mmCIF file of all heavy atoms in Angstrom:
data_model
loop_
_atom_site.group_PDB
_atom_site.id
_atom_site.type_symbol
_atom_site.label_atom_id
_atom_site.label_comp_id
_atom_site.label_asym_id
_atom_site.label_seq_id
_atom_site.Cartn_x
_atom_site.Cartn_y
_atom_site.Cartn_z
ATOM 1 N N MET Y 34 109.598 79.504 111.711
ATOM 2 C CA MET Y 34 109.744 80.959 111.698
ATOM 3 C C MET Y 34 110.678 81.356 110.568
ATOM 4 O O MET Y 34 111.577 80.580 110.188
ATOM 5 C CB MET Y 34 110.289 81.466 113.035
ATOM 6 C CG MET Y 34 109.382 81.141 114.224
ATOM 7 S SD MET Y 34 109.997 81.795 115.795
ATOM 8 C CE MET Y 34 109.628 83.559 115.618
ATOM 9 N N TYR Y 35 110.488 82.569 110.043
ATOM 10 C CA TYR Y 35 111.207 83.009 108.845
ATOM 11 C C TYR Y 35 111.655 84.467 109.000
ATOM 12 O O TYR Y 35 110.980 85.260 109.649
ATOM 13 C CB TYR Y 35 110.280 82.936 107.612
ATOM 14 C CG TYR Y 35 109.605 81.609 107.412
ATOM 15 C CD1 TYR Y 35 108.458 81.292 108.119
ATOM 16 C CD2 TYR Y 35 110.116 80.671 106.522
ATOM 17 C CE1 TYR Y 35 107.829 80.064 107.953
ATOM 18 C CE2 TYR Y 35 109.496 79.443 106.347
ATOM 19 C CZ TYR Y 35 108.353 79.155 107.066
ATOM 20 O OH TYR Y 35 107.740 77.930 106.895
ATOM 21 N N TRP Y 36 112.758 84.775 108.361
ATOM 22 C CA TRP Y 36 113.183 86.157 108.201
ATOM 23 C C TRP Y 36 113.230 86.491 106.716
ATOM 24 O O TRP Y 36 113.853 85.768 105.921
ATOM 25 C CB TRP Y 36 114.570 86.403 108.798
ATOM 26 C CG TRP Y 36 114.573 86.652 110.269
ATOM 27 C CD1 TRP Y 36 115.011 85.825 111.256
ATOM 28 C CD2 TRP Y 36 114.146 87.853 110.922
ATOM 29 N NE1 TRP Y 36 114.867 86.424 112.482
ATOM 30 C CE2 TRP Y 36 114.339 87.675 112.308
ATOM 31 C CE3 TRP Y 36 113.609 89.072 110.474
ATOM 32 C CZ2 TRP Y 36 114.027 88.641 113.245
ATOM 33 C CZ3 TRP Y 36 113.305 90.036 111.406
ATOM 34 C CH2 TRP Y 36 113.506 89.825 112.776
ATOM 35 N N TYR Y 37 112.566 87.607 106.348
ATOM 36 C CA TYR Y 37 112.576 88.117 104.985
ATOM 37 C C TYR Y 37 113.100 89.546 105.012
ATOM 38 O O TYR Y 37 112.989 90.250 106.016
ATOM 39 C CB TYR Y 37 111.161 88.173 104.388
ATOM 40 C CG TYR Y 37 110.498 86.848 104.127
ATOM 41 C CD1 TYR Y 37 109.769 86.203 105.126
ATOM 42 C CD2 TYR Y 37 110.569 86.252 102.874
ATOM 43 C CE1 TYR Y 37 109.138 84.995 104.873
ATOM 44 C CE2 TYR Y 37 109.934 85.043 102.609
ATOM 45 C CZ TYR Y 37 109.216 84.422 103.619
ATOM 46 O OH TYR Y 37 108.584 83.230 103.366
ATOM 47 N N ARG Y 38 113.608 89.988 103.891
ATOM 48 C CA ARG Y 38 113.870 91.405 103.701
ATOM 49 C C ARG Y 38 113.060 91.878 102.509
ATOM 50 O O ARG Y 38 112.786 91.101 101.568
ATOM 51 C CB ARG Y 38 115.351 91.710 103.518
ATOM 52 C CG ARG Y 38 116.026 91.058 102.350
ATOM 53 C CD ARG Y 38 117.499 91.485 102.228
ATOM 54 N NE ARG Y 38 117.637 92.870 101.789
ATOM 55 C CZ ARG Y 38 118.799 93.508 101.701
ATOM 56 N NH1 ARG Y 38 119.937 92.886 102.011
ATOM 57 N NH2 ARG Y 38 118.857 94.766 101.294
ATOM 58 N N GLN Y 39 112.658 93.144 102.561
ATOM 59 C CA GLN Y 39 111.849 93.710 101.490
ATOM 60 C C GLN Y 39 112.502 94.977 100.973
ATOM 61 O O GLN Y 39 112.760 95.913 101.737
ATOM 62 C CB GLN Y 39 110.427 94.028 101.972
ATOM 63 C CG GLN Y 39 109.492 94.448 100.846
ATOM 64 C CD GLN Y 39 108.061 94.624 101.315
ATOM 65 O OE1 GLN Y 39 107.802 95.099 102.413
ATOM 66 N NE2 GLN Y 39 107.104 94.218 100.480
ATOM 67 N N ASP Y 40 112.775 94.999 99.684
ATOM 68 C CA ASP Y 40 113.444 96.117 99.041
ATOM 69 C C ASP Y 40 112.694 96.502 97.782
ATOM 70 O O ASP Y 40 112.166 95.630 97.082
ATOM 71 C CB ASP Y 40 114.882 95.724 98.661
ATOM 72 C CG ASP Y 40 115.678 95.210 99.827
ATOM 73 O OD1 ASP Y 40 116.036 96.046 100.674
ATOM 74 O OD2 ASP Y 40 115.925 93.989 99.917
ATOM 75 N N PRO Y 41 112.684 97.798 97.464
ATOM 76 C CA PRO Y 41 112.042 98.234 96.216
ATOM 77 C C PRO Y 41 112.646 97.515 95.019
ATOM 78 O O PRO Y 41 113.860 97.385 94.905
ATOM 79 C CB PRO Y 41 112.359 99.737 96.182
ATOM 80 C CG PRO Y 41 112.606 100.105 97.603
ATOM 81 C CD PRO Y 41 113.250 98.911 98.238
ATOM 82 N N GLY Y 42 111.774 97.033 94.149
ATOM 83 C CA GLY Y 42 112.249 96.354 92.953
ATOM 84 C C GLY Y 42 112.590 94.892 93.144
ATOM 85 O O GLY Y 42 112.845 94.173 92.178
ATOM 86 N N HIS Y 43 112.597 94.436 94.399
ATOM 87 C CA HIS Y 43 112.932 93.033 94.671
ATOM 88 C C HIS Y 43 111.831 92.280 95.392
ATOM 89 O O HIS Y 43 111.821 91.066 95.422
ATOM 90 C CB HIS Y 43 114.211 92.941 95.507
ATOM 91 C CG HIS Y 43 115.430 93.348 94.760
ATOM 92 N ND1 HIS Y 43 116.095 92.505 93.903
ATOM 93 C CD2 HIS Y 43 116.106 94.517 94.742
ATOM 94 C CE1 HIS Y 43 117.135 93.135 93.395
ATOM 95 N NE2 HIS Y 43 117.160 94.356 93.879
ATOM 96 N N GLY Y 44 110.939 92.981 96.001
ATOM 97 C CA GLY Y 44 109.896 92.296 96.748
ATOM 98 C C GLY Y 44 110.446 91.677 98.022
ATOM 99 O O GLY Y 44 111.469 92.098 98.563
ATOM 100 N N LEU Y 45 109.774 90.655 98.483
ATOM 101 C CA LEU Y 45 110.171 89.949 99.707
ATOM 102 C C LEU Y 45 111.096 88.789 99.358
ATOM 103 O O LEU Y 45 110.763 87.952 98.521
ATOM 104 C CB LEU Y 45 108.932 89.393 100.417
ATOM 105 C CG LEU Y 45 108.170 90.357 101.299
ATOM 106 C CD1 LEU Y 45 106.754 89.854 101.523
ATOM 107 C CD2 LEU Y 45 108.889 90.518 102.625
ATOM 108 N N ARG Y 46 112.231 88.743 100.025
ATOM 109 C CA ARG Y 46 113.186 87.670 99.782
ATOM 110 C C ARG Y 46 113.555 87.001 101.095
ATOM 111 O O ARG Y 46 113.813 87.665 102.096
ATOM 112 C CB ARG Y 46 114.437 88.216 99.090
ATOM 113 C CG ARG Y 46 114.180 88.716 97.677
ATOM 114 C CD ARG Y 46 115.444 89.244 97.042
ATOM 115 N NE ARG Y 46 115.882 90.481 97.688
ATOM 116 C CZ ARG Y 46 117.028 91.090 97.410
ATOM 117 N NH1 ARG Y 46 117.858 90.568 96.510
ATOM 118 N NH2 ARG Y 46 117.352 92.206 98.016
ATOM 119 N N LEU Y 47 113.634 85.686 101.080
ATOM 120 C CA LEU Y 47 113.902 84.913 102.277
ATOM 121 C C LEU Y 47 115.382 84.960 102.636
ATOM 122 O O LEU Y 47 116.252 84.714 101.797
ATOM 123 C CB LEU Y 47 113.475 83.462 102.055
ATOM 124 C CG LEU Y 47 113.659 82.520 103.226
ATOM 125 C CD1 LEU Y 47 112.697 82.880 104.360
ATOM 126 C CD2 LEU Y 47 113.443 81.072 102.793
ATOM 127 N N ILE Y 48 115.665 85.250 103.904
ATOM 128 C CA ILE Y 48 117.044 85.301 104.380
ATOM 129 C C ILE Y 48 117.426 83.975 105.039
ATOM 130 O O ILE Y 48 118.375 83.298 104.652
ATOM 131 C CB ILE Y 48 117.230 86.449 105.395
ATOM 132 C CG1 ILE Y 48 116.779 87.781 104.801
ATOM 133 C CG2 ILE Y 48 118.696 86.542 105.822
ATOM 134 C CD1 ILE Y 48 116.738 88.917 105.816
ATOM 135 N N HIS Y 49 116.706 83.623 106.081
ATOM 136 C CA HIS Y 49 116.895 82.364 106.800
ATOM 137 C C HIS Y 49 115.538 81.919 107.336
ATOM 138 O O HIS Y 49 114.646 82.735 107.497
ATOM 139 C CB HIS Y 49 117.831 82.532 108.008
ATOM 140 C CG HIS Y 49 119.291 82.581 107.701
ATOM 141 N ND1 HIS Y 49 120.063 81.455 107.488
ATOM 142 C CD2 HIS Y 49 120.129 83.643 107.615
ATOM 143 C CE1 HIS Y 49 121.313 81.822 107.275
ATOM 144 N NE2 HIS Y 49 121.389 83.136 107.343
ATOM 145 N N TYR Y 50 115.451 80.641 107.652
ATOM 146 C CA TYR Y 50 114.264 80.182 108.341
ATOM 147 C C TYR Y 50 114.636 79.120 109.367
ATOM 148 O O TYR Y 50 115.756 78.586 109.359
ATOM 149 C CB TYR Y 50 113.195 79.680 107.367
ATOM 150 C CG TYR Y 50 113.534 78.434 106.592
ATOM 151 C CD1 TYR Y 50 113.017 77.197 106.954
ATOM 152 C CD2 TYR Y 50 114.352 78.486 105.458
ATOM 153 C CE1 TYR Y 50 113.299 76.057 106.231
ATOM 154 C CE2 TYR Y 50 114.639 77.353 104.733
ATOM 155 C CZ TYR Y 50 114.109 76.153 105.114
ATOM 156 O OH TYR Y 50 114.390 75.015 104.385
ATOM 157 N N SER Y 51 113.696 78.838 110.247
ATOM 158 C CA SER Y 51 113.926 77.867 111.312
ATOM 159 C C SER Y 51 112.750 76.908 111.386
ATOM 160 O O SER Y 51 111.591 77.326 111.290
ATOM 161 C CB SER Y 51 114.087 78.593 112.654
ATOM 162 O OG SER Y 51 114.058 77.676 113.721
ATOM 163 N N TYR Y 52 113.059 75.641 111.569
ATOM 164 C CA TYR Y 52 112.004 74.642 111.684
ATOM 165 C C TYR Y 52 112.004 73.998 113.059
ATOM 166 O O TYR Y 52 111.439 72.918 113.254
ATOM 167 C CB TYR Y 52 112.104 73.604 110.564
ATOM 168 C CG TYR Y 52 113.487 73.082 110.295
ATOM 169 C CD1 TYR Y 52 113.925 71.900 110.872
ATOM 170 C CD2 TYR Y 52 114.349 73.758 109.446
ATOM 171 C CE1 TYR Y 52 115.190 71.411 110.622
ATOM 172 C CE2 TYR Y 52 115.624 73.280 109.191
ATOM 173 C CZ TYR Y 52 116.048 72.114 109.785
ATOM 174 O OH TYR Y 52 117.312 71.636 109.540
ATOM 175 N N GLY Y 53 112.651 74.634 114.000
ATOM 176 C CA GLY Y 53 112.630 74.184 115.381
ATOM 177 C C GLY Y 53 113.768 74.812 116.144
ATOM 178 O O GLY Y 53 114.648 75.467 115.561
ATOM 179 N N VAL Y 54 113.780 74.596 117.454
ATOM 180 C CA VAL Y 54 114.864 75.134 118.272
ATOM 181 C C VAL Y 54 116.194 74.567 117.769
ATOM 182 O O VAL Y 54 116.344 73.358 117.591
ATOM 183 C CB VAL Y 54 114.640 74.774 119.751
ATOM 184 C CG1 VAL Y 54 115.862 75.168 120.590
ATOM 185 C CG2 VAL Y 54 113.398 75.463 120.279
ATOM 186 N N LYS Y 55 117.117 75.467 117.511
ATOM 187 C CA LYS Y 55 118.458 75.160 117.013
ATOM 188 C C LYS Y 55 118.479 74.583 115.593
ATOM 189 O O LYS Y 55 119.542 74.184 115.096
ATOM 190 C CB LYS Y 55 119.208 74.218 117.963
ATOM 191 C CG LYS Y 55 119.401 74.782 119.366
ATOM 192 C CD LYS Y 55 120.384 73.964 120.165
ATOM 193 C CE LYS Y 55 120.408 74.371 121.635
ATOM 194 N NZ LYS Y 55 120.681 75.797 121.822
ATOM 195 N N ASP Y 56 117.343 74.535 114.920
ATOM 196 C CA ASP Y 56 117.279 74.029 113.535
ATOM 197 C C ASP Y 56 116.995 75.180 112.594
ATOM 198 O O ASP Y 56 115.889 75.743 112.607
ATOM 199 C CB ASP Y 56 116.183 72.974 113.392
ATOM 200 C CG ASP Y 56 116.502 71.705 114.137
ATOM 201 O OD1 ASP Y 56 117.687 71.314 114.153
ATOM 202 O OD2 ASP Y 56 115.569 71.112 114.705
ATOM 203 N N THR Y 57 117.987 75.522 111.773
ATOM 204 C CA THR Y 57 117.809 76.644 110.849
ATOM 205 C C THR Y 57 118.358 76.277 109.473
ATOM 206 O O THR Y 57 119.132 75.329 109.336
ATOM 207 C CB THR Y 57 118.530 77.908 111.359
ATOM 208 O OG1 THR Y 57 119.937 77.670 111.390
ATOM 209 C CG2 THR Y 57 118.046 78.299 112.749
ATOM 210 N N ASP Y 58 117.956 77.056 108.483
ATOM 211 C CA ASP Y 58 118.446 76.819 107.129
ATOM 212 C C ASP Y 58 118.503 78.143 106.391
ATOM 213 O O ASP Y 58 117.834 79.116 106.768
ATOM 214 C CB ASP Y 58 117.546 75.836 106.386
ATOM 215 C CG ASP Y 58 118.305 75.077 105.305
ATOM 216 O OD1 ASP Y 58 119.447 75.458 104.978
ATOM 217 O OD2 ASP Y 58 117.739 74.106 104.767
ATOM 218 N N LYS Y 59 119.335 78.163 105.330
ATOM 219 C CA LYS Y 59 119.532 79.395 104.578
ATOM 220 C C LYS Y 59 118.443 79.598 103.543
ATOM 221 O O LYS Y 59 117.880 78.643 103.005
ATOM 222 C CB LYS Y 59 120.887 79.348 103.872
ATOM 223 C CG LYS Y 59 122.059 79.302 104.807
ATOM 224 C CD LYS Y 59 123.369 79.228 104.032
ATOM 225 C CE LYS Y 59 124.550 79.188 104.971
ATOM 226 N NZ LYS Y 59 125.833 79.123 104.240
ATOM 227 N N GLY Y 60 118.213 80.866 103.256
ATOM 228 C CA GLY Y 60 117.301 81.230 102.190
ATOM 229 C C GLY Y 60 118.045 81.799 101.012
ATOM 230 O O GLY Y 60 119.257 81.596 100.852
ATOM 231 N N GLU Y 61 117.324 82.546 100.199
ATOM 232 C CA GLU Y 61 117.848 83.082 98.934
ATOM 233 C C GLU Y 61 118.967 84.100 99.136
ATOM 234 O O GLU Y 61 119.899 84.172 98.331
ATOM 235 C CB GLU Y 61 116.680 83.725 98.175
ATOM 236 C CG GLU Y 61 117.017 84.393 96.866
ATOM 237 C CD GLU Y 61 115.842 85.174 96.298
ATOM 238 O OE1 GLU Y 61 114.742 85.142 96.900
ATOM 239 O OE2 GLU Y 61 116.025 85.825 95.256
ATOM 240 N N VAL Y 62 118.900 84.909 100.209
ATOM 241 C CA VAL Y 62 119.842 86.018 100.377
ATOM 242 C C VAL Y 62 120.489 85.955 101.754
ATOM 243 O O VAL Y 62 120.445 86.910 102.525
ATOM 244 C CB VAL Y 62 119.150 87.377 100.135
ATOM 245 C CG1 VAL Y 62 118.793 87.549 98.679
ATOM 246 C CG2 VAL Y 62 117.915 87.524 101.015
#
Side-chain angles (χ1 to χ4, degrees):
Chain Y
M34 299 182 75
Y35 308 82
W36 277 108
Y37 292 87
R38 60 177 289 175
Q39 188 174 37
D40 305 288
H43 291 278
L45 277 160
R46 293 180 291 174
L47 181 68
I48 305 171
H49 281 279
Y50 66 102
S51 169
Y52 45 96
V54 172
K55 300 192 190 304
D56 292 323
T57 64
D58 207 348
K59 296 179 180 180
E61 177 189 357
V62 291

